[in-house]
Amino acid sequence: MQIIIHADKTIERHAGLDEHVQTVVKNALQRFGEQINRVEVHLSDNLVQKSADGDNRCMLEARVTGLQPIAVSDHAATLHQAIGGAAEKLKRAVDSALGRLQDKRHSGVAIEADAE
């Protein structure tokens, strides 16, 4: 799985941040193995837009084999919290999307078997 990190001008990128992002995303999505080709990470700090759930934002977009891209985001008081929150949301979203895909495949097989 390829992980590409983008940060806006309000985020100071450094090796420690990149390593943290890589570790959190890989740990959250490791069970999906080769089904995820790429994850794009977008980090920002919305200093201008004060929100109740925090200024820091992490948006993750996963490219999953056989599906449209899946995107989630999380806001938090710290960037690390936003990354962790978005990773958990993405794990649930990918799990749900793959489950629906599997259900469709199984229901299609059942329909064909009933027709015989």
Side-chain angles (χ1 to χ4, degrees), residues 22-97:
Q22 294 270 348
T23 300
V24 170
V25 171
K26 282 181 183 175
N27 286 343
L29 303 176
Q30 68 184 355
R31 71 184 212 143
F32 301 112
E34 297 298 316
Q35 292 175 297
I36 298 177
N37 303 318
R38 181 175 79 215
V39 177
E40 292 204 28
V41 181
H42 299 271
L43 305 172
S44 61
D45 184 356
N46 299 323
L47 294 172
V48 177
Q49 295 178 288
K50 295 289 184 186
S51 61
D53 52 358
D55 299 334
N56 295 285
R57 178 175 184 253
C58 176
M59 194 278 286
L60 300 176
E61 181 179 306
R63 304 295 176 137
V64 182
T65 304
L67 296 174
Q68 293 291 318
I70 299 169
V72 299
S73 68
D74 194 56
H75 291 82
T78 70
L79 198 52
H80 284 236
Q81 290 171 338
I83 293 164
E88 285 301 311
K89 286 181 180 180
L90 185 59
K91 179 171 70 172
R92 290 190 304 269
V94 170
D95 190 38
S96 178

Side-chain angles (χ1 to χ4, degrees), residues 101-114:
L101 184 63
Q102 188 174 16
D103 288 348
K104 282 183 183 178
R105 287 181 179 156
H106 286 318
S107 66
V109 171
I111 291 170
E112 290 173 11
D114 289 342

